[in-house]
Amino acid sequence: MVSKQLQAQMSEWRHQIHSHPEAAFEEKETAALVGKVLMDLGYEVHTGIGGTGVVGVLHCGTSSRAIGLRADMDCIKITEKGKHPYSSQTPERMHGCGHDGHTATLLGAAALLAQRKNFDGTVYLMFQPAEEPGTGAQAMLDDGLLKRFPMDEAYSLHNNSLFRQGQVLIRAGQFFSSEDDFVIRIHGIGGHASAPHVTKDPLVAASEMILAMQTIISRNVDPQEAAVISFTELHTDGAVNVIPSNVTLSGDVRAYSPEVQRLVEKRMREVCQHICEMHDMTFEFEYIHAFVPLINDPVCTDHVLEAARNIVPEEQIILNAPKCSASEDFARILEQVPGCYFILGGGRKEDLSQEFPMHHSCYDYNDDILSLGAELFAEIIRTRLPKK
Ligand SMILES: [Zn+2]
Ligand SMILES: [Zn+2]
């Protein structure tokens, strides 16, 4: 059980972070708070990892086994509309994704682990910057995270207000999708709208491309798999009576496996190339991998299930949770370390559709799930490291 005192302390940390939100790689004050709390709890503290990342290390006993737990610290770049005593004091910065809660949760777990010391091995608590743009985990990895803190397994969680408070959602294998962003620039020859025969109209080519690429999902991707191609922008340099010379298309692609992600990219490039060849036009095709798919290790997923069963009633555990078409930066760590990412429900309203969803300007993390998250993390450590 988490003491009343620690519960209050976690809320206080959360409110402090909430009122001073910091976006990707700006998390200086948050990192300083994290570092101070960890230091006071007796952790070895490493700062400045991948920019503003912090790792707290707690050794106990003599076992060489090590487990990593991770929280994200960054906010999103919108202005908070909700009114709380601890509302954001910075315009265009708010904790609208609950990373304030994740950080406070992992600090709560840090306190429980330091107090209980009921494990033999090493715990690495990773506080990462820049989850929202999907670059913070990679920045920590590039800064030698896993070489400096070699871990056998890694775990993390995300809150979600659209699931009931206290529910734990677990899924083995594919869970969160990749996110890729693309920009296609098509170059033709513009001219008078009344004389298309002396132009090379890139807008017609772009229109064919948008339609042709729909068949990648319906005709190339295995129907057992899921993927999304969304064209979200189309810009031309034409006018009402001017056929454009240039068209720029951009959009977003999602997939749940690296194989499908590669297939979609390859087919998009081919379709683009062949349509431009057909219309005698040149093009540039830019494709950016923002997030990789998040895939939970099945064995580690069972470990989370075991820990959850020790903490929450069976009816609150949702096994085989639905896949999520959002993306999550922890996937980069799970590419290199077996582990599991799970969701903690935070919805309080009877009708969950009335809850503010994440990234809404009135969203606020539910303080009542802080201790559950901390207990789950502490229980994962107790069950995954040898007994002391
Ligand atoms: Zn978010
Ligand atoms: Zn988030």
Side-chain angles (χ1 to χ4, degrees):
M1 277 292 285
V2 177
S3 68
K4 283 260 178 311
Q5 193 192 358
L6 181 57
Q7 281 182 38
Q9 179 67 75
M10 277 191 279
S11 297
E12 203 181 305
W13 287 327
R14 213 267 298 173
H15 298 171
Q16 197 174 336
I17 298 166
H18 191 95
S19 62
H20 299 283
E22 296 170 302
F25 295 118
E26 294 171 354
E27 308 91 339
K28 290 199 174 60
E29 276 185 43
T30 313
L33 169 76
V34 165
K36 183 179 182 315
V37 171
L38 291 174
M39 198 85 84
D40 290 348
L41 289 168
Y43 281 70
E44 188 185 302
V45 178
H46 301 257
T47 57
I49 301 170
T52 44
V54 180
V55 175
V57 185
L58 188 63
H59 300 289
C60 199
T62 53
S63 159
S64 61
R65 272 185 61 78
I67 304 289
L69 301 173
R70 168 273 200 185
D72 37 17
M73 302 188 288
D74 59 323
C75 72
I76 57 175
K77 292 181 176 176
I78 62 168
T79 299
E80 182 164 18
K81 300 261 170 63
K83 296 272 174 273
H84 311 282
Y86 51 83
S87 285
S88 168
Q89 294 176 13
T90 318
E92 291 178 23
R93 295 287 184 277
M94 90 165 270
H95 271 293
C97 203
H99 299 183
D100 51 342
H102 301 163
T103 301
T105 300
L106 195 52
L107 289 176
L112 290 176
L113 292 165
Q115 171 202 327
R116 293 174 183 167
K117 293 217 167 96
N118 54 356
F119 60 88
D120 187 0
T122 301
V123 176
Y124 294 122
L125 304 184
M126 303 173 273
F127 294 84
Q128 82 152 78
E131 191 287 324
E132 289 294 338
T135 45
Q138 193 59 50
M140 287 184 86
L141 290 167
D142 292 344
D143 208 358
L145 176 74
L146 299 177
K147 283 192 197 79
R148 292 162 72 181
F149 312 103
M151 53 193 79
D152 298 297
E153 295 161 19
Y155 298 89
S156 187
L157 64 77
H158 205 291
N159 74 105
N160 191 325
S161 58
L162 303 181
F163 292 99
R164 198 153 300 288
Q165 174 175 318
Q167 281 183 332
V168 182
L169 291 94
I170 305 174
R171 182 184 178 90
Q174 301 175 355
F175 199 1
F176 283 63
S177 77
S178 60
E179 181 187 335
D180 299 330
D181 304 316
F182 63 86
V183 181
I184 301 168
R185 294 186 192 86
I186 308 167
H187 310 294
I189 299 173
H192 204 289
S194 67
H197 59 295
V198 295
T199 71
K200 287 181 187 173
D201 185 349
L203 192 49
V204 172
S207 311
E208 280 180 18
M209 214 176 275
I210 293 170
L211 290 177
M213 286 187 187
Q214 306 304 315
T215 64
I216 297 173
I217 306 298
S218 69
R219 286 296 170 262
N220 299 140
V221 173
D222 181 337
Q224 303 296 325
E225 294 278 354
V228 179
I229 300 176
S230 289
F231 284 84
T232 53
E233 288 179 87
L234 187 155
H235 299 283
T236 83
D237 58 359
V240 70
N241 56 356
V242 177
I243 290 171
S245 293
N246 301 289
V247 172
T248 303
L249 294 171
S250 49
D252 176 298
V253 174
R254 310 272 164 156
Y256 290 95
S257 75
E259 295 75 24
V260 173
Q261 190 186 17
R262 278 194 292 272
L263 170 75
V264 172
E265 178 180 355
K266 177 174 166 286
R267 287 298 295 141
M268 284 184 71
R269 201 181 285 275
E270 288 168 353
V271 169
C272 173
Q273 184 188 339
H274 289 114
I275 287 181
C276 286
E277 272 173 18
M278 187 167 81
H279 290 281
D280 194 18
M281 281 169 203
T282 57
F283 69 94
E284 287 131 45
F285 183 91
E286 246 176 61
Y287 197 91
I288 299 141
H289 300 260
F291 288 83
V292 296
L294 184 139
I295 298 168
N296 276 335
D297 179 88
V299 177
C300 293
T301 307
D302 279 344
H303 298 324
V304 171
L305 175 63
E306 184 195 342
R309 281 187 168 142
N310 294 340
I311 303 286
V312 301
E314 190 70 28
E315 63 270 20
Q316 279 176 229
I317 301 172
I318 301 180
L319 265 180
N320 213 11
K323 285 185 195 176
C324 181
S325 60
S327 303
E328 169 53 55
D329 194 21
F330 185 58
R332 297 274 180 190
I333 291 172
L334 292 185
E335 279 188 320
Q336 301 195 31
V337 186
C340 178
Y341 187 69
F342 56 99
I343 293 175
L344 205 53
R348 284 169 277 211
K349 298 211 165 102
E350 185 56 35
D351 177 2
L352 288 173
S353 68
Q354 297 302 307
E355 286 281 352
F356 292 117
M358 288 169 294
H359 288 209
H360 189 284
S361 55
C362 291
Y363 182 75
D364 188 37
Y365 194 92
N366 180 352
D367 282 326
D368 292 340
I369 61 170
L370 288 169
S371 15
L372 174 56
E375 272 291 12
L376 280 167
F377 276 148
E379 186 63 9
I380 288 170
I381 295 300
R382 190 187 70 79
T383 51
R384 292 310 301 145
L385 287 176
K387 300 225 176 329
K388 206 175 150 216

